[in-house]
Amino acid sequence: MRIRFEKRAAPSRLMQVATPVASVLLTMVLGALMFDLLGFDGVRAIRETFITPIVASYKWVDVAAKAAPLIIIGLGLSLSNRAQVWNIGAEGQYVIGALAGAGVALAWPQAPGVVIIPLMLACGALGGALWAAIPAFLRTRFQVNEVLSSLMLVYVALQVLNYLIGGPWKDPNGHNFPQTAPFSAAQQLPHTLGSTPIPPGLVVALLLVALFWFVLSRSVYGYSVRAVGAAPDAAKYAGFDAKRTIWSTLTIGGAMAGLAGILEASSQLGQINLGFPSGYGFTAIIVAFLGRLNPIGVLLAGTILAITYVGGQVAQAAVHVPEATAGIFQAMMLFLILASDVLVRFRIRLQRNPPRAAANRVAV
């Protein structure tokens, strides 16, 4: 018997929605079994990771704070992925965007908040976009694969971060720690809005979800992105420029990562230090795929991944599971959603091996 994959005429919409949900549920089941085999209380580990951050109201602030950058970056990545442009360097764009916004704050320490905050956010988005423009230029001019170039630029961005906070931008009153001086009160956004558990970044994320949904589903530009990703040759004959799409999707994705970076620095940290790179840019890749490259799906997926971040810390304290618990669950989700994509697009057929030709049979 041979296994043969037969391409479906059209992927099922129901399966496209059901498989991400099934991937999360299967991750929980496999995770419980894995931790049981390792000698931990698997059921409790899953409960603390996935359930406690939802039912414990004191954890909602943490979940919202971590969901905001994941959703914002995931939106940008989902746009480029729709066009079959693979931006793997959002973590570097996140860092450069934060540095660009922080540079504005350090340059004008006495500026009023009504001026400096919008300027910081704009420069953060611009910094991320310019960093993403490098792989866009290399792809369109020299046909360099954007997966490699964007990923390598992450490590360049980390070196830029280390140089600045350990050199020109180092806080003279920071007891020799590599970090910038703290932002002034006028340069910082509040951790949460009033008495609610909602950080400013989450409000921005929700507005961007609505904007991206409208652009992708109701605009000519959104249609061109989908057309270039689905059928590049047909899109060319329809008048859509593939190079322009590569430039626009990569730079928009970079702008979203940079915006997330400066929002995180201004509202949650109040400065830039060595611990600023948090892996959000890489985790947002899982958010984009788990959300099926759909803005509403990205909102839900970003929230789920934020829950695993917070729940992983809870499980580590309560069940003493490894520190990498959240990363393990996130990797399992990505593996399962990619595996399920095969089943969404292909049918599995069992085929009998054809009988050998009589001439090839060996007489005994």
Side-chain angles (χ1 to χ4, degrees):
M1 298 290 287
R2 291 191 305 174
I3 297 176
R4 184 170 61 87
F5 290 92
E6 180 182 284
K7 190 170 184 178
R8 298 177 187 270
S12 167
R13 285 186 175 272
L14 175 61
M15 291 299 294
Q16 287 180 318
V17 174
T19 48
V21 177
S23 297
V24 174
L25 296 177
L26 191 55
T27 295
M28 296 170 68
V29 173
L30 294 177
L33 293 175
M34 178 183 67
F35 282 123
D36 275 333
L37 292 175
L38 292 174
F40 299 101
D41 186 343
V43 174
R44 187 182 178 194
I46 294 300
R47 185 174 67 249
E48 299 293 349
T49 302
F50 288 92
I51 306 302
T52 297
I54 299 174
V55 300
S57 59
Y58 62 90
K59 288 295 180 183
W60 292 351
V61 174
D62 296 333
V63 172
K66 291 187 178 299
L70 292 176
I71 294 168
I72 294 173
I73 302 172
L75 288 170
L77 296 182
S78 66
L79 180 68
S80 60
N81 290 353
R82 285 265 186 147
Q84 301 293 309
V85 179
W86 311 106
N87 180 7
I88 308 298
E91 181 74 5
Q93 296 145 24
Y94 171 85
V95 170
I96 293 298
L99 290 175
V104 173
L106 297 175
W108 289 285
Q110 303 302 323
V114 70
V115 174
I116 197 65
I117 290 292
L119 191 57
M120 288 170 63
L121 297 180
C123 287
L126 180 61
L130 291 175
W131 202 249
I134 299 174
F137 171 75
L138 294 175
R139 165 72 184 272
T140 56
R141 182 67 176 84
F142 300 107
Q143 297 301 308
V144 176
N145 189 300
E146 72 275 8
V147 172
L148 298 176
S149 59
S150 62
L151 179 60
M152 289 189 291
L153 282 170
V154 172
Y155 302 100
V156 178
L158 295 179
Q159 293 304 315
V160 173
L161 170 71
N162 293 340
Y163 167 72
L164 290 176
I165 65 175
W169 291 3
K170 189 175 181 179
D171 182 8
N173 301 317
H175 305 289
N176 209 35
F177 286 103
Q179 60 189 22
T180 67
F183 298 157
S184 68
Q187 297 167 344
Q188 294 187 47
L189 292 166
H191 287 288
T192 60
L193 299 177
S195 59
T196 70
I198 302 174
L202 186 59
V203 176
V204 175
L206 293 174
L207 293 174
L208 287 171
V209 166
L211 176 62
F212 271 70
W213 176 85
F214 177 82
V215 169
L216 280 170
S217 61
R218 296 291 186 271
S219 72
V220 175
Y221 174 72
Y223 177 76
S224 71
V225 169
R226 299 197 307 272
V228 169
D233 294 334
K236 180 179 178 181
Y237 285 110
F240 300 129
D241 189 338
K243 289 186 177 181
R244 189 181 303 165
T245 302
I246 292 171
W247 270 96
S248 64
T249 55
L250 277 174
T251 52
I252 290 173
M256 292 300 100
L259 177 62
I262 189 57
L263 280 170
E264 184 74 6
S266 177
S267 66
Q268 302 301 318
L269 301 177
Q271 63 180 173
I272 305 291
N273 53 35
L274 278 180
F276 181 74
S278 54
Y280 287 144
F282 293 120
T283 306
I285 299 173
I286 305 175
V287 171
F289 279 105
L290 191 64
R292 289 296 188 202
L293 310 183
N294 181 285
I296 306 300
V298 167
L299 172 63
L300 298 175
T303 304
I304 292 171
L305 269 294
I307 288 171
T308 64
Y309 268 118
V310 176
Q313 297 170 353
V314 175
Q316 184 183 354
V319 193
H320 307 295
V321 295
E323 184 179 356
T325 295
I328 293 171
F329 287 131
Q330 292 165 8
M332 290 174 66
M333 284 184 204
L334 178 60
F335 174 80
L336 291 170
I337 193 64
L338 292 177
S340 65
D341 276 350
V342 176
L343 300 179
V344 170
R345 289 174 169 79
F346 296 89
R347 291 186 181 90
I348 297 178
R349 300 293 192 190
L350 296 178
Q351 187 177 25
R352 293 182 179 275
N353 291 324
R356 295 183 180 179
N360 293 333
R361 293 178 182 169
V362 179
V364 178

